[in-house]
Amino acid sequence: LFFPCRPCCLEALLAEAAAPGEPARPCPCPLPRGDTSLSRLVRLLLSARRSLDLCIFSFSCPQLARAVHLLHRRGVRVRLVTDAQCMGLQGSQIGRLRQAGIQVRHDQHSGFMHHKFAIVDQRMLITGSLNWTIQAIQSNRENVLVVDDAECVKPFLDEFEKIWEEYNPAHYSF
Amino acid sequence: LFFPCRPCCLEALLAEAAAPGEPARPCPCPLPRGDTSLSRLVRLLLSARRSLDLCIFSFSCPQLARAVHLLHRRGVRVRLVTDAQCMGLQGSQIGRLRQAGIQVRHDQHSGFMHHKFAIVDQRMLITGSLNWTIQAIQSNRENVLVVDDAECVKPFLDEFEKIWEEYNPAHYSF
């Protein structure tokens, strides 16, 4: 998937995922509904059935946050790692997701936790240059690669588990 | 490849690539020589025989610049796309590479040219979260994926050619 992509309305997609089978109220917004890199990314995330492991440097896109929240409500185990410096910035969705009961861990280094990857059901890797921000999605040249080859996914699974353990709050020193 | 990696000396590797077969003068620096994510990245780049297409948001790492310069001197066709806002920052290697005769093009948008990928000989894609900076290499959590599956590489080749043409100086409007 490549970005930037044009702004698009994801209401129908998110409503269908929230209440499958129920007729969605038509959204009155003037944005187009078509297929975009963002709608495809959201669809891939919403395909999670068991787990979603996220390592996202900067996360401020409300639509992606809604998709993640929805998976959590649906019972998918969501674990989210982010960067300590980014998570407090204006517009960050991390606080909202935490309030919703999603487990969040962050680094405590001066270096950045600069990954931007997601692993769906421990088998599909979604990774690239894209931070989960509206600026990145709508204005930047970005790429996202979707990989389900186990040999490629495994090192990212291992990296996630390593970081998840390293950023366990029990180890925080501040 | 995952980062951060410890600082390492690449003199022997770069000297061998600059003058294959000639005995390299031992480097007096105290850094270790071992195998690191950075040395593996440099080796992958140095494997280029015909072309190196680079789309790099921020490029300030002198060792990676030396590898790219060396390929250019060796007759490999190097094309470099970068971000207009980043390329003038302190420590940027873009000016040096331009002075060496390497073709560089950049965006003219307010959005970022945020890709960080390289394509070696139009067949190996090296992509991820890693900007080519010392901070990213030595301090950040970063990933770089190496892919030679033609189906994955092709969209990046197309994206590169599209950007290369779009950023043709003949189209600059400022």
Side-chain angles (χ1 to χ4, degrees):
Chain A
L1 309 178
F2 290 97
F3 298 82
C5 74
R6 62 183 192 283
C8 62
C9 175
L10 299 180
E11 286 306 314
L13 181 58
L14 290 165
E16 162 66 20
E22 281 183 33
R25 272 184 307 180
C27 176
C29 85
L31 293 174
R33 270 91 181 139
D35 187 42
T36 66
S37 289
L38 178 60
S39 71
R40 291 167 70 190
L41 175 57
V42 167
R43 269 180 220 281
L44 290 168
L45 296 173
L46 290 175
S47 74
R49 290 294 167 262
R50 291 178 306 282
S51 66
L52 179 66
D53 294 322
L54 299 170
C55 251
I56 307 289
F57 173 57
S58 179
F59 190 166
S60 59
C61 171
Q63 292 163 310
L64 287 167
R66 279 180 60 194
V68 170
H69 186 188
L70 209 149
L71 289 169
H72 171 68
R73 283 213 315 261
R74 201 200 264 169
V76 169
R77 182 192 62 169
V78 178
R79 295 184 293 176
L80 170 50
V81 169
T82 191
D83 181 76
Q85 278 114 309
C86 273
M87 72 180 184
L89 296 181
Q90 199 175 14
S92 167
Q93 296 290 319
I94 301 298
R96 253 192 80 209
L97 293 170
R98 255 189 169 147
Q99 282 177 343
I102 291 173
Q103 291 187 72
V104 176
R105 296 186 179 180
H106 59 79
D107 65 312
Q108 52 170 342
H109 311 124
S110 56
F112 293 134
M113 196 315 291
H114 200 242
H115 289 308
K116 312 108 175 23
F117 70 80
I119 308 174
V120 171
D121 292 338
Q122 305 216 298
R123 54 160 191 79
M124 176 169 61
L125 171 67
I126 300 170
T127 188
S129 65
L130 185 83
N131 285 306
W132 287 16
T133 69
I134 296 174
Q135 141 99 19
I137 292 164
Q138 294 185 4
S139 305
N140 292 357
R141 290 264 178 192
E142 305 275 4
N143 65 80
V144 169
L145 210 60
V146 183
V147 184
D148 53 13
D149 172 43
E151 208 182 314
C152 280
V153 180
K154 179 70 167 61
F156 282 79
L157 280 170
D158 293 346
E159 174 77 355
F160 184 86
E161 295 299 340
K162 190 173 131 193
I163 294 182
W164 186 251
E165 191 43 42
E166 187 180 321
Y167 295 177
N168 186 327
H171 304 157
Y172 288 168
S173 60
F174 54 94
Chain B
L1 309 176
F2 291 96
F3 296 83
C5 74
R6 61 181 195 281
C8 62
C9 176
L10 299 179
E11 287 306 314
L13 181 57
L14 290 165
E16 163 66 20
E22 279 183 33
R25 271 184 307 180
C27 176
C29 84
L31 293 174
R33 269 94 182 137
D35 187 41
T36 66
S37 290
L38 178 59
S39 71
R40 291 168 69 191
L41 175 58
V42 167
R43 269 181 218 281
L44 289 168
L45 296 172
L46 290 175
S47 73
R49 290 296 166 261
R50 291 179 305 282
S51 67
L52 179 67
D53 294 323
L54 299 169
C55 252
I56 307 289
F57 173 58
S58 179
F59 190 166
S60 58
C61 169
Q63 291 163 311
L64 287 167
R66 279 179 60 193
V68 169
H69 185 187
L70 208 149
L71 289 169
H72 170 69
R73 284 212 315 262
R74 203 199 261 169
V76 169
R77 182 193 63 168
V78 178
R79 296 183 294 175
L80 170 50
V81 169
T82 191
D83 181 76
Q85 279 114 308
C86 272
M87 73 180 183
L89 296 181
Q90 199 176 14
S92 167
Q93 296 290 320
I94 301 297
R96 253 192 81 208
L97 293 170
R98 253 188 172 147
Q99 283 176 343
I102 291 172
Q103 291 187 72
V104 176
R105 296 185 179 179
H106 58 80
D107 65 313
Q108 51 170 343
H109 312 124
S110 57
F112 292 134
M113 198 311 293
H114 200 242
H115 289 308
K116 312 106 173 27
F117 70 79
I119 307 174
V120 171
D121 292 338
Q122 305 217 298
R123 52 160 193 79
M124 177 170 60
L125 170 66
I126 301 169
T127 188
S129 65
L130 186 84
N131 285 306
W132 287 16
T133 69
I134 296 174
Q135 141 100 19
I137 292 164
Q138 293 185 3
S139 305
N140 292 358
R141 290 262 179 193
E142 306 273 4
N143 65 80
V144 168
L145 210 59
V146 183
V147 183
D148 54 13
D149 172 43
E151 209 182 313
C152 280
V153 179
K154 179 68 168 60
F156 282 80
L157 280 170
D158 293 345
E159 173 78 356
F160 184 86
E161 294 300 339
K162 190 173 130 193
I163 294 182
W164 186 250
E165 192 41 43
E166 187 180 321
Y167 295 177
N168 186 327
H171 305 157
Y172 288 167
S173 61
F174 56 95

